[in-house]
Amino acid sequence: MLLALVAIILIDGTGFPTLPEVWMVFIFGANPDSFTWGVLVVVVSSLASLGGNFILYSLVKMARLPNWIKKRMKQYTDFLIVKDERLLLLNRVAPIVPYTGAFIAVCGWDVRKCALYLIVGALAKSSVVVVLSWLSYDNLRQDVAPWVALGAVAIVIVASIVASLIYKRRLRLRGELPRSQ
């Protein structure tokens, strides 16, 4: 199950959205009474997230994107309030930058800082998902618990998307972000 979680998160980090939080709820549910299992799910998902981002980073570095794409990516981050590696932490709460591994490569961010911010953000987000799952499994019937945990995770995901949209809309209203993004 942990290998499946790694595969899912690596795919998500390299460019195809897989909603890893949903998978984490079900994988945690395989052994919801074990603290060790919960820690393993958090650590494995966080390391896989770091790996997925750096796989994409490596692919972008090797592929040498066209200059017009690089220019657009840099313009996009220049319009945001946070323009550097700290954007990776913000992105865990409000996903405003897709394909973060590519942005790390194109924007020339400090790889060590990026790794630190990615792992800290992933540990925090994964911990929230596992704690919500654990609370559901601990306090509810086994057949209802995963659905309540998924509902809580869905609320967190929707709230982060809404926060991202509001943030982008405010930037557009101030004229700091072009309409096309």
Side-chain angles (χ1 to χ4, degrees), residues 30-96:
N31 195 1
D33 297 324
S34 170
F35 177 79
T36 304
W37 181 248
V39 170
L40 276 173
V41 170
V42 169
V43 170
V44 166
S45 64
S46 299
L47 291 174
S49 176
L50 182 66
N53 276 284
F54 280 106
I55 288 172
L56 183 57
Y57 167 85
S58 299
L59 292 172
V60 168
K61 280 292 198 185
M62 286 188 314
R64 301 181 197 256
L65 295 176
N67 286 333
W68 68 271
I69 292 176
K70 289 180 183 179
K71 183 179 175 185
R72 293 285 289 169
M73 290 173 75
K74 287 179 183 178
Q75 284 175 337
Y76 180 69
T77 57
D78 286 344
F79 285 116
L80 300 173
I81 293 170
V82 179
K83 299 169 182 21
D84 58 11
E85 297 90 346
R86 295 172 298 163
L87 190 57
L88 299 171
L89 284 174
L90 178 62
N91 209 50
R92 290 290 178 181
V93 179
I96 53 178

Side-chain angles (χ1 to χ4, degrees), residues 133-150:
S133 300
W134 172 73
L135 287 171
S136 297
Y137 280 99
D138 196 43
N139 294 308
L140 301 168
R141 291 190 341 251
Q142 209 65 11
D143 57 337
V144 176
W147 302 109
V148 171
L150 279 177

Side-chain angles (χ1 to χ4, degrees), residues 125-179:
K125 189 171 186 176
S126 298
S127 296
V128 168
V129 171
V130 168
V131 166
L132 288 172
S133 300
W134 172 73
L135 287 171
S136 297
Y137 280 99
D138 196 43
N139 294 308
L140 301 168
R141 291 190 341 251
Q142 209 65 11
D143 57 337
V144 176
W147 302 109
V148 171
L150 279 177
V153 168
I155 289 170
V156 170
I157 291 170
V158 167
S160 67
I161 290 170
V162 167
S164 173
L165 293 173
I166 290 170
Y167 183 78
K168 285 181 180 179
R169 185 169 186 267
R170 286 185 180 164
L171 288 176
R172 278 192 199 100
L173 290 174
R174 288 192 301 212
E176 295 178 17
L177 187 64
R179 276 255 178 241

